[in-house]
Amino acid sequence: MSIKVVILESAEHDLKELKNYIVKNFSVGTWQNTYDKIKEVIRNLKTFPHAGSIPEEFEKLNLSQYRQVLSGDEAHHL
């Protein structure tokens, strides 16, 4: 089953802030590596739409179609 994954505007904003922080404090290469991992997790969500967890604030509103996943060397939750 494949679904359409939509990135919330707030998540896009967070991603831009993360990019700025990583580029400023590490390198463009580190950012590219991080971004590649994030994109991989998003691609996996298309195939496994129930992976990840429902954010608590959405769960309280019965919005179970939203998921959050972690990406990185230390944690891959899929």
Side-chain angles (χ1 to χ4, degrees):
M1 178 171 122
S2 184
I3 63 163
K4 179 180 179 181
V5 175
V6 177
I7 309 300
L8 296 178
E9 188 176 318
S10 59
E12 288 181 5
H13 180 264
D14 291 345
L15 193 58
K16 288 177 185 176
E17 286 188 356
L18 179 63
K19 176 185 179 182
N20 292 336
Y21 175 82
I22 290 175
V23 168
K24 179 180 177 183
N25 293 287
F26 299 97
S27 69
V28 172
T30 300
W31 163 249
Q32 191 58 55
N33 186 39
T34 301
Y35 188 56
D36 289 345
K37 290 176 183 177
I38 292 169
K39 290 189 298 187
E40 178 184 347
V41 170
I42 291 170
R43 279 192 300 273
N44 286 337
L45 267 179
K46 289 180 179 181
T47 305
F48 304 104
H50 296 291
S53 61
I54 301 169
E56 184 179 330
E57 60 270 23
F58 293 139
E59 191 170 33
K60 290 178 181 177
L61 298 171
N62 291 323
L63 298 173
S64 61
Q65 72 270 29
Y66 294 96
R67 300 288 174 176
Q68 65 183 8
V69 292
L70 301 177
S71 174
D73 291 334
E74 299 301 318
H76 268 86
H77 294 272
L78 285 181

